[in-house]
């Protein structure tokens, strides 16, 4: 779309009432949405590049500081001139679900309550649920709640015919 030179630009949108923006022609909304998404991608890319450089600069020092404190993960503070660098390496823990199931069964068999030791979460994949026969789905319906997510709208311009 060749937009007129006087059309609103991304920088104009924060100064415009939302109702005025909603009233813009659909093809202009599509162009603005594409521009906003491109700008967001460029900003994310720039932030990733900058964070990569910061990581390159401080990763070894942070690892050495963690080692000196006797830990593999967590937060350490580094001084670099007038700047304090807070370097965090979060701990991510994954549990083998099948092995946990066996451990829970042993705890229960020993007469203890596994709820004292572990949290149990049940999930049903929505695709699997949708593929089940109706008789099976009916048994699960009382335990199922559907909430709407955040609405999104993707506008695309149709190609001229």
């Amino acid at each position: 779309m060749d937009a007129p030179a006087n059309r609103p630009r991304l920088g104009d949108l924060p100064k415009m009432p939302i109702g005025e923006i909603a009233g813009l022609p659909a093809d202009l909304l599509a162009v603005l949405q594409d521009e906003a998404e491109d700008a967001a991608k460029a900003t994310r890319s720039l932030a990733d590049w900058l964070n990569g450089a910061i990581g390159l600069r401080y990763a070894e020092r942070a690892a050495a500081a963690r080692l000196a404190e006797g830990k593999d993960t967590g937060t350490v503070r580094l001084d670099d001139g007038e700047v304090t660098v807070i370097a965090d390496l979060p701990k991510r823990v994954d549990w083998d679900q099948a092995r946990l199931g066996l451990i829970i069964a042993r705890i229960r068999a020993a007469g203890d309550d596994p709820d004292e030791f572990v949290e149990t979460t049940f999930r049903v994949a929505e695709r699997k649920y949708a593929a089940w026969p109706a008789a099976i789905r009916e048994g699960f319906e009382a335990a199922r709640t559907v909430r709407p997510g955040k609405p999104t709208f993707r506008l695309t311009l149709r190609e001229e015919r």
Side-chain angles (χ1 to χ4, degrees), residues 6 10 16 41 51-52 68 77 99 103-104 111 114 125-126 153:
N6 64 348
L10 285 180
M16 295 173 63
K41 285 178 192 171
N51 289 330
R77 287 176 165 61
R99 288 184 180 172
I103 294 167
I104 290 168
E126 188 62 19
F153 305 93

Side-chain angles (χ1 to χ4, degrees), residues 21-155:
I21 297 169
L24 292 173
D27 56 345
L28 181 53
L29 287 172
V31 168
L32 288 167
Q33 186 178 50
D34 284 343
E35 289 176 358
E37 289 172 1
D38 289 346
K41 285 178 192 171
T43 299
R44 280 190 302 273
S45 179
L46 179 60
D48 289 346
W49 188 251
L50 178 59
N51 289 330
I54 291 169
L56 183 63
R57 180 170 179 157
Y58 297 110
E60 287 184 25
R61 283 182 56 196
R66 278 189 207 88
L67 184 63
E69 293 182 20
K71 56 186 186 179
D72 297 326
T73 59
T75 303
V76 292
R77 287 176 165 61
L78 312 169
D79 290 322
D80 188 359
E82 297 295 315
V83 175
T84 298
V85 178
I86 302 169
D88 185 34
L89 183 60
K91 181 188 298 186
R92 307 228 180 211
V93 177
D94 293 315
W95 293 91
D96 182 312
Q97 297 298 298
R99 288 184 180 172
L100 279 177
L102 293 173
I103 294 167
I104 290 168
R106 283 197 303 260
I107 292 170
R108 194 171 279 126
D112 291 319
D113 182 6
D115 290 341
E116 293 181 27
F117 306 100
V118 297
E119 293 176 13
T120 306
T121 302
F122 297 103
R123 276 179 255 190
V124 175
E126 188 62 19
R127 283 187 173 190
K128 289 181 180 181
Y129 173 82
W132 291 345
I136 294 175
R137 280 198 314 261
E138 286 173 14
F140 282 79
E141 284 179 5
R144 183 174 179 261
T145 302
V146 178
R147 291 175 282 122
K150 179 182 177 189
T152 60
F153 305 93
R154 175 75 182 125
L155 306 177

